Amino acid sequence: MPIRVLVVDDHALIREGLRRALAHHSTISLVGEAASKAEAMAQIAHHNPEVIVVDLHLPDGNGLEVIAWARSLSQRIGIVALTASKLQEHVLACMESGASAHVDKAAPIDVLIAAISHSFAAPL
């Protein structure tokens, strides 16, 4: 069974790129997408994904709030923070909020795939 993944990013280009990249991996099934905090919360509740990939910057809040909320719902959900920020304080904030992993947006897709797989296999 493929890992059910939800992508949360406010940029349509990033979501489209991830949709296309993840479609080539038989171990992953993209079950939904969200462009905002509100959409993310609704999609998480509706699709019950096994892993969420979350950007930190959203138009109606931030990814840290989504991470903390998702983690409060489930200790088993894998949460990958996908950000353009390399600042150690942002990486630490992701982990403190409950993220399972942090991946830089400049990383190769294989790094994101590995983070998704690891987050699913070894949630908090």
Side-chain angles (χ1 to χ4, degrees):
M1 293 280 294
I3 301 168
R4 295 177 19 259
V5 176
L6 173 78
V7 171
V8 182
D9 195 293
D10 60 327
H11 292 99
L13 185 62
I14 298 293
R15 292 191 314 274
E16 175 68 22
L18 289 174
R19 182 182 324 117
R20 288 178 184 219
L22 296 176
H24 297 291
H25 293 273
S26 62
T27 60
I28 295 175
S29 172
L30 187 62
V31 296
E33 300 176 21
S36 68
K37 176 184 162 185
E39 284 181 17
M41 292 174 153
Q43 291 293 323
I44 291 166
H46 179 72
H47 292 292
N48 193 27
E50 294 164 315
V51 176
I52 57 173
V53 176
V54 185
D55 184 20
L56 290 188
H57 303 286
L58 300 172
D60 58 346
N62 66 57
L64 297 176
E65 295 166 331
V66 174
I67 292 167
W69 180 79
R71 181 59 65 215
S72 74
L73 294 177
S74 171
Q75 290 298 308
R76 296 191 51 98
I77 191 169
I79 304 171
V80 178
L82 180 66
T83 72
S85 177
K86 295 177 182 154
L87 295 175
Q88 185 174 9
E89 62 200 47
H90 289 162
V91 175
L92 290 173
C94 291
M95 304 315 279
E96 289 172 353
S97 294
S100 310
H102 175 276
V103 175
D104 188 305
K105 283 187 176 179
I109 191 66
D110 292 341
V111 172
L112 178 60
I113 299 298
I116 289 170
S117 296
H118 177 74
S119 295
F120 174 69
L124 289 178

